[in-house]
């Protein structure tokens, strides 16, 4: 007997706000025997991420994301351990991961679609492969390298929105490691802002729920903003763009403030903000990490090296139990996490 997690019959529509009740648990069984090339795995960790909100629509707005189907098992990034194998390259006890891991406690999977993990690369913290040493860390690192135009010694200032989230908390640190001289984060609580400065090495952090964001940016970024790592969009991004310098760069990573609205991706800027972007020649191009996967291996090794050296601080918000994954998803979408939101399924 195992637990499945299904997308429920409660549909959101394009403007709905996801809640835990959009998911339901069911019990089922899996086959007793494996076919050639298959493995039986026990699920250890699952990832919930903002992009999953797009999968709750029939049209995800992206050609690489398949919508979740009603009454079918949801899926996403996951890690597990092989319990039985009929795959030539995987053995019992191997730790494996996939970007399309089913949200269930155990599964039979095609071994060719799994990537073997080396726990020693992350000091034994397997869940890091879903975050800092996984697609999240790759998004931060490659986004900065491919779209940020960071130049060592150029005295550049980077601003990160959603800075206490999974990607933002890494992006600010990586910006510093890559050569930015000043890094300012924007987050939603005083606790998050304190962690960014005291633990993750940001120069300053703004609680966007307190005071005038544009005014605080002017004070904290006296030389303007050269690089903006944008995770949220909306009013916060308008405020940052108003402070950006000539020939500066926006790394368009996410737009979480817009995901519950019926708008195209990336969402258009308001006319006044668009005018600033054009007049100052600010680049704003969609960034998709999957377009740079030829750089995956070297980039993951770089991230793991920084983790091992203590140069990249990693935060996780861990929820225990598959039954709580819907609540974890709802909380993450509402900013309830610090760092990566992880669901621990099995010990």
């Amino acid at each position: 007997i195992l637990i499945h997690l299904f997308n429920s019959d409660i549909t959101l529509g394009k403007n709905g706000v996801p809640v835990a009740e959009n998911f339901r648990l069911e019990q089922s069984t899996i086959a007793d025997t494996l076919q050639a090339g298959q493995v039986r795995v026990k699920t250890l960790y699952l990832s919930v991420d903002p992009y999953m909100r797009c999968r709750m629509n029939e049209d995800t707005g992206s050609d690489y994301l398949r919508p979740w189907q009603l009454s079918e098992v949801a899926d996403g990034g996951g890690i597990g351990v092989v319990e039985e194998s009929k795959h030539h390259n995987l053995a019992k006890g191997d730790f494996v991961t996939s970007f399309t891991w089913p949200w269930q406690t155990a599964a039979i999977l095609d071994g060719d679609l799994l990537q073997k993990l080396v726990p020693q690369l992350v000091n034994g913290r397997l869940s890091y492969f879903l975050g800092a040493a996984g697609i999240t860390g790759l998004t931060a690192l490659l986004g900065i390298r491919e779209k940020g135009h960071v130049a060592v010694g150029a005295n550049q200032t980077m601003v990160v929105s959603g800075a206490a989230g999974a990607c933002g908390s890494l992006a600010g640190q990586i910006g510093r490691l890559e050569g930015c001289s000043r890094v300012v984060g924007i987050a939603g609580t005083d606790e998050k802002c304190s962690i960014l400065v005291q633990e993750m090495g940001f120069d300053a952090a703004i609680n966007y729920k307190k005071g005038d964001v544009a005014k605080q940016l002017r004070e904290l970024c006296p030389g303007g903003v050269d690089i903006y790592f944008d995770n949220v969009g909306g009013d916060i991004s308008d405020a940052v763009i108003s402070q950006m310098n000539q020939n500066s760069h926006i790394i368009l990573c996410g737009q979480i403030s817009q995901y519950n609205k019926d708008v195209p991706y990336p969402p258009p800027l308001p006319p006044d903000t668009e005018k600033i972007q054009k007049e100052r020649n600010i680049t704003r191009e969609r960034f998709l990490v999957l377009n740079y996967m030829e750089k995956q291996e070297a980039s993951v090794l770089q991230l793991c090296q920084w983790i091992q050296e203590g140069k990249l601080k990693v935060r996780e918000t861990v929820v225990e139990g598959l039954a709580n994954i819907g609540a974890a998803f709802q909380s993450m979408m509402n900013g309830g996490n610090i760092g990566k939101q992880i669901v621990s399924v099995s010990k």
Side-chain angles (χ1 to χ4, degrees), residues 293-308:
M293 295 315 283
E294 75 279 1
K295 300 182 180 182
Q296 176 184 7
E297 186 174 352
S299 299
V300 167
L301 290 175
Q302 174 66 85
L303 292 163
C304 290
Q305 181 181 337
W306 282 335
I307 292 169
Q308 290 171 346

Side-chain angles (χ1 to χ4, degrees), residues 15 55 62 126 132 137 155 176 186 190 208 227 253 266 274 281 291-292 299 307 318:
N15 297 304
R55 301 189 66 189
S62 177
L126 276 171
N155 197 31
R176 171 83 75 202
I186 303 174
D190 289 343
Y208 70 86
I227 301 146
C253 177
E274 186 178 22
N281 193 35
N291 290 338
Y292 301 93
S299 299
I307 292 169
V318 181

Side-chain angles (χ1 to χ4, degrees), residues 31-39 84-87 108-111:
D32 293 328
T33 58
L34 300 180
Q35 303 298 317
Q38 291 183 328
V39 295
E84 183 183 355
S85 175
K86 285 194 174 180
H87 188 274
I108 293 176
L109 302 176
D110 181 347

Side-chain angles (χ1 to χ4, degrees), residues 11 56 74 98 110 138 142 146 162 188 208 243 256 265-266 292 324:
T11 55
M56 300 179 85
S98 168
D110 181 347
L138 286 171
L142 291 172
E146 299 296 329
Y208 70 86
Q243 309 298 317
I256 194 170
Y265 190 89
Y292 301 93
N324 296 314

Side-chain angles (χ1 to χ4, degrees), residues 265-286:
Y265 190 89
L269 296 171
D272 289 349
T273 305
E274 186 178 22
K275 183 180 178 184
I276 291 171
Q277 182 209 345
K278 290 180 178 178
E279 288 178 348
R280 299 181 192 173
N281 193 35
I282 301 169
T283 63
R284 182 181 183 260
E285 302 167 345
R286 183 174 186 174

Side-chain angles (χ1 to χ4, degrees), residues 31-306:
D32 293 328
T33 58
L34 300 180
Q35 303 298 317
Q38 291 183 328
V39 295
R40 186 191 311 275
V41 294
K42 179 173 75 171
T43 303
L44 300 178
Y45 300 103
L46 294 171
S47 172
V48 290
D49 303 280
Y51 80 87
M52 291 174 171
R53 171 59 184 87
C54 304
R55 301 189 66 189
M56 300 179 85
N57 295 334
E58 289 183 18
D59 178 7
T60 65
S62 177
D63 54 8
Y64 69 93
L65 285 179
R66 186 180 66 86
W68 283 332
Q69 300 297 315
L70 294 178
S71 297
E72 289 188 6
V73 182
D75 67 315
I79 290 171
V81 60
V82 175
E83 295 192 314
E84 183 183 355
S85 175
K86 285 194 174 180
H87 188 274
H88 64 92
N89 196 39
L90 296 172
K92 183 178 180 179
D94 284 345
F95 296 105
V96 291
T97 187
S98 168
F99 193 60
T100 56
W101 196 284
W103 285 8
Q104 51 194 59
T105 55
I108 293 176
L109 302 176
D110 181 347
D112 287 342
L113 303 180
L114 300 174
Q115 180 182 355
K116 194 186 301 187
L117 299 175
V118 182
Q120 294 85 345
L121 290 175
V122 288
N123 301 325
R125 298 292 297 270
L126 276 171
S127 57
Y128 283 11
F129 284 114
L130 293 177
I135 204 77
T136 310
L138 286 171
T139 299
L141 176 58
L142 291 172
I144 288 168
R145 287 184 170 176
E146 299 296 329
K147 299 292 186 181
H149 301 273
V150 178
V152 177
N155 197 31
Q156 293 166 306
T157 294
M158 172 184 282
V159 171
V160 182
S161 58
C167 197
S169 60
L170 301 172
Q173 298 178 76
I174 292 169
R176 171 83 75 202
L177 290 165
E178 290 288 285
C180 288
S181 60
R182 185 166 182 78
V183 178
V184 176
I186 303 174
T189 69
D190 289 343
E191 178 192 11
K192 290 179 178 181
C193 290
S194 177
I195 288 170
L196 291 174
V197 174
Q198 296 180 15
E199 186 176 314
M200 297 184 172
F202 285 62
D203 293 282
I206 296 168
N207 182 345
Y208 70 86
K209 295 179 181 177
K210 291 184 174 181
D212 185 327
V213 173
K215 181 175 181 291
Q216 293 177 78
L217 281 169
R218 284 193 292 272
E219 294 170 355
L220 294 172
C221 307
V225 178
D226 301 294
I227 301 146
Y228 173 37
F229 199 99
D230 185 5
N231 287 303
V232 302
D235 294 343
I236 291 173
S237 289
D238 295 340
V240 177
I241 293 169
S242 73
Q243 309 298 317
M244 294 188 74
N245 293 323
Q246 195 74 24
N247 302 318
S248 53
H249 304 283
I250 299 170
I251 302 165
L252 195 57
C253 177
Q255 302 280 279
I256 194 170
S257 72
Q258 308 298 302
Y259 286 165
N260 295 330
K261 301 176 183 179
D262 183 7
V263 294
Y265 190 89
L269 296 171
D272 289 349
T273 305
E274 186 178 22
K275 183 180 178 184
I276 291 171
Q277 182 209 345
K278 290 180 178 178
E279 288 178 348
R280 299 181 192 173
N281 193 35
I282 301 169
T283 63
R284 182 181 183 260
E285 302 167 345
R286 183 174 186 174
F287 172 74
L288 179 60
V289 70
L290 298 179
N291 290 338
Y292 301 93
M293 295 315 283
E294 75 279 1
K295 300 182 180 182
Q296 176 184 7
E297 186 174 352
S299 299
V300 167
L301 290 175
Q302 174 66 85
L303 292 163
C304 290
Q305 181 181 337
W306 282 335

